Amino acid sequence: MAIKDQIPLGFSLPHRSPDPIAVSDINHVAQRAEALGFRDLWVTDNTLDPASCFDSLTLLTHAAALTHTIHVGVSVLVLPVHNPIHTAHRVATLDYLSNGRAILGVGLGRDHHFTEFQMPRTRRVRRFRESVELMKALWTEQAITYKGERFELENAVMGRKPVQQPHPPIWLGGGHPDALKRAAVLGDGWMGAGGSSTAAFSEQAPQVRAALEATGRAPATFPISKRAFMSVHERADVARAEVHRWFTEVYHNPELTATGGVHGTPEQVREQLEEIVSLGADHLLLNPVTRYREQLEALAEITGLS
């Protein structure tokens, strides 16, 4: 059975690279991915970054204007360093302009995010939880009164509501057991990081499903995804070298080439993707690290979309 007949597939927009990214490549990938039948387009959110990276929600708004049906998502926005009121308004605007196609992925972040943005690490989980609660309220209620430890609003109104009801889906990231439990309670989906190993995903996916069952939620309606940084080439050594460069220059962790990357010939890549599906993924985010147009066509063929 083709991979596209087993699970829905997402594709990464060109947006973060040690090399310059042409706007024409972004435009082509957005429109061609939709034509091929990919379900969603994704970006990461990286501001202070040695690799060239675009603002996530701005780029998704651009992609939405070029397309008609494909969903557009960010995974993940480090929510505690963002104001949830601004974030709710920006995502509602994206959802409105795209006619209900926005997906918001959020995560707790790492220590350096709090240092870079001069945000306190203390009570960051509380800030995260309140941010999610407040955004949902802003999206679904007419006049919002909210009182938490970190945020307060009194009879506030955000007039621009999203199209999707009750609100755009919120996918959570993070691999810590507590993050997996939070995803089951607060989120509408979970995505394993591209910078995490396949072995880690094999342990995390069952934990998410167990947490869903413990909270009385149906795993069948909750996407469990894995981002795969990848390259496919007729010469396996070329594909490996491209992924190795990515993990070395962008992630500064070359060991992930072997433990977390997907690379090789078309047949080898198909086998690696099928392995991730067998480990519990019911959504895959294919994230080529270079040669975006060529990779899009190759991966469409590998997964059965062309």
Side-chain angles (χ1 to χ4, degrees), residues 33-304:
E34 179 176 69
L36 286 166
F38 284 92
R39 194 186 73 172
D40 27 57
L41 292 166
W42 294 85
V43 296
T44 56
D45 188 78
N46 304 89
T47 304
L48 300 175
D49 191 85
S52 172
C53 193
F54 297 94
D55 175 72
S56 58
L57 295 178
T58 302
L59 186 59
L60 292 180
T61 303
H62 172 77
L66 297 171
T67 55
H68 302 283
T69 58
I70 195 167
H71 287 72
V72 289
V74 53
S75 182
V76 295
L77 203 74
V78 178
L79 193 55
V81 302
H82 290 266
N83 184 293
I85 302 172
H86 282 137
T87 302
H89 191 229
R90 293 174 69 198
V91 174
T93 299
L94 172 61
D95 199 59
Y96 184 83
L97 294 174
S98 67
N99 194 28
R101 292 186 278 143
I103 306 170
L104 174 62
V106 293
L108 191 59
R110 297 183 174 88
D111 288 349
H112 70 87
H113 293 115
F114 296 89
T115 302
E116 291 169 348
F117 292 96
Q118 294 86 56
M119 296 293 293
R121 289 183 70 254
T122 56
R123 305 292 286 167
R124 62 192 184 281
V125 174
R126 167 52 56 187
R127 182 182 178 92
F128 180 89
R129 285 180 173 273
E130 288 189 12
S131 294
V132 173
E133 292 172 354
L134 184 52
M135 288 191 302
K136 289 180 179 179
L138 288 164
W139 288 333
T140 59
E141 300 175 20
Q142 290 305 312
I144 300 95
T145 295
Y146 183 89
K147 184 173 178 61
E149 290 184 18
R150 299 294 180 181
F151 301 103
E152 291 187 22
L153 282 178
E154 182 68 32
N155 200 33
V157 176
M158 190 182 79
R160 171 51 54 219
K161 302 296 185 186
V163 172
Q164 294 181 84
Q165 298 296 321
H167 54 72
I170 298 176
W171 290 26
L172 271 67
H176 189 279
D178 291 343
L180 304 179
K181 293 176 183 177
R182 275 195 299 274
V185 173
L186 298 176
D188 304 299
W190 174 80
M191 182 176 288
S196 64
S197 68
T198 303
F201 178 80
S202 71
E203 298 175 355
Q204 294 161 354
Q207 292 181 58
V208 175
R209 287 195 168 88
L212 289 168
E213 292 171 358
T215 58
R217 301 185 68 183
T221 61
F222 187 100
I224 293 179
S225 181
K226 177 70 172 76
R227 180 192 293 270
F229 290 123
M230 61 192 311
S231 173
V232 57
H233 196 280
E234 292 298 335
R235 286 179 49 188
D237 60 323
V238 172
R240 185 189 186 283
E242 290 175 340
V243 174
H244 184 73
R245 183 192 177 207
W246 169 266
F247 280 123
T248 300
E249 296 189 15
V250 177
Y251 269 73
H252 309 293
N253 189 351
E255 293 181 1
L256 281 169
T257 305
T259 61
V262 171
H263 51 81
T265 65
E267 184 55 36
Q268 289 171 332
V269 166
R270 182 182 293 107
E271 292 174 356
Q272 292 168 56
L273 294 177
E274 288 176 343
E275 178 189 8
I276 297 173
V277 174
S278 73
L279 294 174
D282 47 31
H283 177 278
L284 282 175
L285 168 50
L286 309 182
N287 195 142
V289 297
T290 188
R291 297 186 291 113
Y292 308 109
R293 299 186 188 209
E294 180 183 336
Q295 295 283 287
L296 176 58
E297 301 299 330
L299 288 167
E301 183 173 353
I302 287 169
T303 57

